[in-house]
Amino acid sequence: MIEADFIIVGTGAAGLVAALHASEHGRVVMITKRGALDSNSNWAQGGIACVTAENDSIEKHVSDTLVAGAGLCKEAAVRTIVSEGPARIADLVKWGVHFDQREAVDGHLEFDLTREGGHTARRVLHAADATGREITEKLLATVRAHPSITIYENHYAIDILTTAKLGLVSEDRVLGLYVLDESSGDVHTFRSDRVILATGGCGRVYLYTTNPLVATGDGVAMAWRAGATISDMEFIQFHPTCLYHPQKRSFLISEAMRGEGARLIGKDGQEFMHRYDPRGSLAPRDIVARAIDHEIKKTGGPCVYLDISHRSPEFIASHFPNIQKACLDVGIDITKEPIPVVPAAHYQCGGVLTDVNGATSIRGLCAVGEVGCTGLHGANRLASNSLLECCVTAQRAVAHLIKKIPQGKVAEQSYELRPWQTSGVVENDELVVIYHNWDEIRRLMWDYVSIVRTNKRLQRAAARLRNLKREVQEFYWNNHVTSEILELRNLVETASLIVECAIRRHESRGLHYTLDYPNTDDTRLPQDSTLRRY
């Protein structure tokens, strides 16, 4: 048994920030199913939204977030996270993160802020077009150098251990996790009364996504099986501009490019966004994604185009070097020609229901970053608020756990944890079953539960997912666990939660648009898409 004062699952921005704050209060163990840099955070391009300029304000940032969230944000959470942003930016700078700067009028250096869709001011800090990589690499270097933090790479968290799982119903609290060591195939027990899920999102539930391979909804699925409350999973954000090219199916074209003047055009070379929203190409993501989806279906073309060729080659090279290189790799010179783009699954706005501290309905279990649902994003995330939420809620989660569970791994009451059981299982020799089910889940989610939905499509998806869940569960119980089986198990669980939440919302709001209920209904309760297991 491996014991720690804190166990953190995930090594993206939220997990790394949590680890650095927690390391001041005891031993920290981090678990990640792949390498430490395999995370959604590392792929983030645009930046981190935070009020740092004199001509900006907390009130403006709060207002922009509430408008984008389409009436479903929790205003208290929005105010807390936005207000604490500057302090968390100072933490990042202290840990070595470098944001692009420029020379101000009076000669001193200031942050080189950009603007993205839905923002009424320039407030997005960035490191060229690879902000997530800059943040995660610098934080990881600091974490690796810390004597109180241990990272277990290629270790897959299987399930959360709780008192309820032991049959103790007086209080449901977390006790640790079962974890698969992929190098040996052994399953170990990791023990702590303080567990933080920072597992990221679930983009791989869909056929087309901007997310890396690791984004399979692991945290949401584990928390649901443990009995935590899940909320708002129908609000899956589709990024409007994913590169349309067979060699780079998951490459994101940053929204910051539109913030710097890039225009969305059709195959006729004409702009079209003004027909859908007066903000044009800088409208919030839900509006832009639906507009592109409509244009593609109306014209019969496979994509639309993003054109920044009117900016100078020097400007493009300095602001978007990684995007420029990626496009050149597939024969597209963005200084001279438009970029073919399509929407793709990008971000889950819902997740494990938490307060602004990341605290879940299970004592000692927190969920921070994309896996959690604090109420910041509502029905549609404002661009670049995700990394902000990671940093703020990670710090608050650690402070919350120290206050509520001051004893850490030394529990007031000792519990005997059952070892992992393997009797009756066999070696899996049918990988084709896993790959087939994986493909079917992603295709049916794309066809039935993507940008535009209907009752009939959702019911078809739900029926097929019920059958797939039974098949996957049988496969899971009868075979030795592997990362492939575990990912498939979490994938089908998360897909089912998305569909169930979508079926419950009888209106169109933010990222959830259904032809059967095309209007927003303000009489609907926010709890409509909140799921409780017990």
Side-chain angles (χ1 to χ4, degrees):
M1 184 180 295
I2 298 166
E3 293 187 288
D5 296 293
F6 296 85
I7 294 176
I8 299 170
V9 187
T11 52
L16 294 169
V17 169
L20 289 169
H21 286 295
S23 65
E24 301 173 9
H25 305 279
R27 185 188 173 211
V28 180
V29 162
M30 302 190 76
I31 300 166
T32 181
K33 67 179 182 180
R34 299 288 185 270
L37 283 175
D38 290 318
S39 67
N40 276 357
S41 298
N42 191 41
W43 281 36
Q45 292 179 354
I48 179 169
C50 183
V51 175
T52 59
E54 291 183 1
N55 62 349
D56 196 8
S57 70
I58 297 296
E59 284 302 317
K60 286 182 181 178
H61 193 175
V62 168
S63 176
D64 290 348
T65 302
L66 295 176
V67 169
L72 214 61
C73 296
K74 295 179 181 176
E75 187 170 345
V78 173
R79 290 190 176 278
T80 296
I81 293 170
V82 167
S83 299
E84 294 183 8
R88 304 289 75 83
I89 293 294
D91 287 339
L92 295 180
V93 173
K94 175 185 69 177
W95 290 322
V97 176
H98 175 76
F99 296 106
D100 287 354
Q101 297 178 310
R102 65 182 178 185
E103 188 174 316
V105 176
D106 60 5
H108 79 279
L109 289 176
E110 62 182 10
F111 290 127
D112 178 30
L113 304 175
T114 190
R115 181 183 170 196
E116 296 183 348
H119 290 274
T120 56
R122 286 182 172 266
R123 66 170 66 98
V124 179
L125 293 82
H126 61 95
D129 58 351
T131 310
R133 186 170 67 199
E134 168 69 12
I135 291 173
T136 53
E137 286 182 351
K138 293 297 174 58
L139 292 182
L140 181 60
T142 307
V143 162
R144 289 197 187 280
H146 202 291
S148 297
I149 305 173
T150 304
I151 301 178
Y152 287 84
E153 295 180 280
N154 299 305
H155 278 66
Y156 203 125
I158 302 173
D159 271 321
I160 299 166
L161 297 168
T162 66
T163 51
K165 291 291 181 72
L166 298 181
L168 306 172
V169 294
S170 57
E171 178 190 38
D172 195 11
R173 58 179 296 170
V174 72
L175 300 175
L177 303 107
Y178 287 130
V179 179
L180 170 67
D181 179 349
E182 293 197 59
S183 62
S184 67
D186 297 328
V187 175
H188 303 291
T189 303
F190 282 64
R191 173 75 178 95
S192 181
D193 294 324
R194 301 168 175 155
V195 174
I196 299 175
L197 296 177
T199 52
C202 64
R204 286 285 157 183
V205 167
Y206 286 92
L207 186 61
Y208 301 108
T209 177
T210 64
N211 290 182
L213 294 173
V214 295
T216 52
D218 300 325
V220 167
M222 281 193 296
W224 175 247
R225 289 194 295 267
T229 302
I230 307 297
S231 187
D232 294 350
M233 286 297 290
E234 71 271 36
F235 299 117
I236 300 294
Q237 187 172 74
F238 288 79
H239 198 288
T241 53
C242 180
L243 177 63
Y244 178 72
H245 197 280
Q247 293 178 27
K248 287 186 180 289
R249 289 180 177 271
S250 298
F251 189 79
L252 175 69
I253 305 298
S254 171
E255 189 159 336
M257 188 171 279
R258 281 180 281 138
E260 296 297 343
R263 303 167 301 162
L264 282 163
I265 60 176
K267 62 181 180 181
D268 59 359
Q270 300 299 308
E271 292 187 61
F272 58 82
M273 274 307 303
H274 64 277
R275 298 199 296 267
Y276 298 91
D277 192 279
R279 290 164 290 188
S281 293
L282 278 175
R285 290 178 178 177
D286 58 331
I287 295 170
V288 179
R290 281 198 299 274
I292 294 174
D293 181 71
H294 186 265
E295 285 291 313
I296 289 173
K297 289 175 179 174
K298 182 179 74 173
T299 64
C303 63
V304 296
Y305 300 87
L306 187 67
D307 186 17
I308 198 171
S309 61
H310 58 283
R311 300 302 300 257
S312 71
E314 294 77 19
F315 177 88
I316 293 171
S318 64
H319 283 71
F320 307 108
N322 292 288
I323 294 175
Q324 184 180 31
K325 180 181 182 302
C327 289
L328 280 173
D329 287 345
V330 293
I332 301 168
D333 184 352
I334 67 174
T335 67
K336 299 177 181 178
E337 58 187 316
I339 308 166
V341 294
V342 291
H346 183 61
Y347 191 90
Q348 71 176 46
C349 292
V352 186
L353 184 63
T354 75
D355 61 15
V356 75
N357 302 313
T360 73
S361 54
I362 299 173
R363 187 180 179 213
L365 178 67
C366 286
V368 297
E370 190 172 355
V371 67
C373 181
T374 61
L376 171 67
H377 307 307
N380 178 44
R381 174 174 70 89
L382 181 66
S384 288
N385 268 357
S386 50
L387 288 173
L388 173 71
E389 183 182 42
C390 286
C391 297
V392 172
T393 56
Q395 183 273 331
R396 293 183 67 89
V398 171
H400 166 82
L401 290 172
I402 291 167
K403 179 180 178 181
K404 294 296 183 181
I405 308 176
Q407 291 179 289
K409 67 180 179 183
V410 184
E412 314 91 72
Q413 183 178 355
S414 60
Y415 298 95
E416 183 179 351
L417 302 183
R418 305 185 186 102
W420 182 257
Q421 299 296 317
T422 58
S423 59
V425 299
V426 298
E427 291 296 335
N428 170 39
D429 60 355
E430 295 270 352
L431 279 178
V432 66
V433 176
I434 295 177
Y435 299 146
H436 176 84
N437 286 352
W438 174 286
D439 185 65
E440 183 174 354
I441 292 166
R442 298 181 69 210
R443 286 184 181 276
L444 76 85
M445 289 296 289
W446 184 261
D447 290 340
Y448 297 150
V449 202
S450 54
I451 297 171
V452 177
R453 301 162 181 176
T454 66
N455 284 347
K456 185 176 290 186
R457 293 175 195 168
L458 293 175
Q459 292 295 343
R460 284 175 176 169
R464 183 61 191 128
L465 285 169
R466 283 192 292 270
N467 291 332
L468 283 166
K469 279 184 72 172
R470 285 193 290 269
E471 292 174 20
V472 172
Q473 277 296 91
E474 181 181 358
F475 205 75
Y476 168 77
W477 286 113
N478 293 332
N479 292 270
H480 282 291
V481 291
T482 64
S483 60
E484 292 88 355
I485 293 174
L486 296 175
E487 283 191 328
L488 180 62
R489 180 184 183 224
N490 291 335
L491 201 75
V492 71
E493 191 79 82
T494 303
S496 299
L497 292 169
I498 293 170
V499 172
E500 178 61 29
C501 286
I503 288 172
R504 291 182 176 216
R505 185 163 293 281
H506 294 173
E507 63 165 349
S508 289
R509 182 186 295 273
L511 300 164
H512 175 70
Y513 183 78
T514 169
L515 296 177
D516 292 291
Y517 307 99
N519 300 316
T520 298
D521 181 359
D522 288 327
T523 66
R524 305 293 303 180
L525 296 175
Q527 296 88 346
D528 281 354
S529 56
T530 297
L531 306 178
R532 293 177 174 84
R533 195 172 183 88
Y534 301 117

